[in-house]
Amino acid sequence: MKVVNEMCPNITRIYNIGKSQSGLKLYAIEISDNPGEHEIGEPEFRYTAGSHGNEVLGRELLLLLMQFMCLEYLSGNQRIRHLVEETRIHLLPSVNPDGYEKAFEAGSELSGWSLGRWTNDGIDIHHNFPDLNSILWEAEAKKWIHRKMLNHHIPTPEWYLSKNASVSRTDCLCCTVNYI
């Protein structure tokens, strides 16, 4: 991430969204023509990977995606330039760095399929998202008044319940895509 940021400082920004349970920082990179600035009406996408720390494919794909976008932007690829200029993209390659470190220390497939899968406090992040999709789509279809809905997962963060919040979630190849 640091190398990509150094190669493309005008279109990237690295930021920290918090810490894991063991204190490792959760770094994301933003790719935009105005990094660090919210532009009204410009779509924002967040791609996350590494919810299972021992499954590194998604993590590597996001690292390669940020590198690809930077290099193609610099080389003048019009499709990438259009994406960067018209979209704000956030990439978080490792949402479970504790699990990744645990699996990395043990080495490859020698530790079994589960080491590093969960967070240090035993949560499988990949299967523990609030069920917001069905809530939001059903509420919109029935023109319900915005209200708090119960879910059987982790508590819904307060900012999800704010007056103008809009969240949707889609899974793909070990990555999670959130349309902001």
Side-chain angles (χ1 to χ4, degrees), residues 17-147:
I17 67 163
K19 292 183 178 180
S20 69
Q21 188 181 16
S22 69
L24 296 173
K25 292 182 180 178
L26 300 172
Y27 287 110
I29 192 167
E30 175 188 351
I31 302 174
S32 171
D33 59 338
N34 295 304
E37 295 179 31
H38 175 73
E39 297 177 67
I40 295 175
E42 184 173 82
E44 297 191 28
F45 292 86
R46 178 180 56 228
Y47 293 87
T48 63
S51 55
H52 292 158
N54 62 348
E55 297 172 359
V56 298
L57 176 63
R59 174 187 172 117
E60 294 301 314
L61 287 173
L62 287 188
L63 292 170
L64 289 171
L65 176 61
M66 66 182 71
Q67 180 183 30
F68 172 80
M69 290 187 72
C70 171
L71 292 172
E72 290 298 304
Y73 183 87
L74 292 175
S75 72
N77 180 320
Q78 288 304 306
R79 294 179 86 183
I80 298 300
R81 283 189 163 271
H82 180 74
L83 267 177
V84 170
E85 292 164 4
E86 301 300 324
T87 312
R88 191 171 180 210
I89 301 166
H90 305 268
L91 306 175
L92 175 63
S94 188
V95 75
N96 182 5
D98 297 342
Y100 173 81
E101 290 295 321
K102 200 179 288 184
F104 179 77
E105 287 172 13
S108 191
E109 302 294 325
L110 302 176
S111 58
W113 67 273
S114 65
L115 185 65
R117 182 178 178 91
W118 296 278
T119 61
N120 281 349
D121 54 353
I123 295 174
D124 184 346
I125 297 171
H126 188 72
H127 296 282
N128 203 12
F129 284 95
D131 185 16
L132 297 174
N133 275 350
S134 58
I135 293 169
L136 293 173
W137 286 112
E138 185 176 345
E140 185 175 309
K142 293 182 178 182
K143 298 188 180 349
W144 288 350
I145 296 172
H146 182 75
R147 57 191 167 111

